[in-house]
Amino acid sequence: MSMKELPDVPHTPHGLDGVSWNILGQVYTPKLITPECFAWHAVFAEETFVPPHTHADQDEYLYPYDGVIDLLVGGQKVTASPGQVAVLPRGVPHAFFNNTGKPVNALFWAAPAGKLVQLYRRIHNVGHPGRVVSMAPQFGVVFEPPVSSAV
């Protein structure tokens, strides 16, 4: 699916080197890549669901610009709203849900950067979730058994 095929999903053209990744219908635009931190702008299309997964070697943070992202963090329901930072600690399973009925823009960052950049490059335009899940562990991300998106 190309960017032009994502109606009503705003694209942020100010990524590093003009790069954006399409990851299972989500648009990720890198903003900062250093060994200490990897930051990216994310656009979650309506009804986006990122299954529970863990990062073994990095903490992840989420800051919604607009809309609300429902999370499951360590089995607990959490809501991230504009102006709030959700902390997703390393080793703790977390999942994302966009139940708003419209796209939600957010800033994410992971510290340290780890291998997420390499993972995102590999899974750009991979259309099958099973392939993404099977590739992720070699980049330090492990997906858990699926849960309902009705968080």
Side-chain angles (χ1 to χ4, degrees):
M1 182 181 299
S2 74
M3 291 291 300
K4 294 177 182 147
E5 295 171 15
L6 294 172
D8 301 319
V9 177
H11 172 64
T12 302
H14 306 293
L16 300 175
D17 298 325
V19 171
S20 283
W21 297 299
N22 177 7
I23 301 174
L24 298 174
Q26 303 159 59
V27 178
Y28 290 177
T29 304
K31 297 296 186 177
L32 173 71
I33 302 171
T34 69
E36 296 79 25
C37 181
F38 167 40
W40 65 98
H41 175 261
V43 179
F44 289 111
E46 60 186 85
E47 299 188 27
T48 292
F49 168 54
V50 178
H53 60 284
T54 59
H55 299 265
D57 300 323
Q58 58 205 161
D59 297 311
E60 190 172 17
Y61 304 88
L62 161 65
Y63 180 88
Y65 292 117
D66 54 29
V68 172
I69 297 289
D70 294 319
L71 302 146
L72 193 60
V73 181
Q76 301 295 313
K77 292 181 181 180
V78 179
T79 300
S81 300
Q84 299 176 321
V85 175
V87 179
L88 312 167
R90 68 186 76 197
V92 176
H94 55 276
F96 307 103
F97 307 89
N98 176 1
N99 295 319
T100 65
K102 62 181 182 176
V104 174
N105 292 278
L107 178 67
F108 277 85
W109 62 100
K115 297 179 181 178
L116 274 181
V117 174
Q118 292 92 342
L119 173 62
Y120 290 170
R121 287 179 180 143
R122 284 286 303 274
I123 62 177
H124 170 62
N125 282 336
V126 170
H128 191 277
R131 287 191 53 216
V132 170
V133 169
S134 69
M135 286 189 274
Q138 64 186 308
F139 299 96
V141 178
V142 176
F143 284 86
E144 306 288 323
V147 297
S148 168
S149 63
V151 165

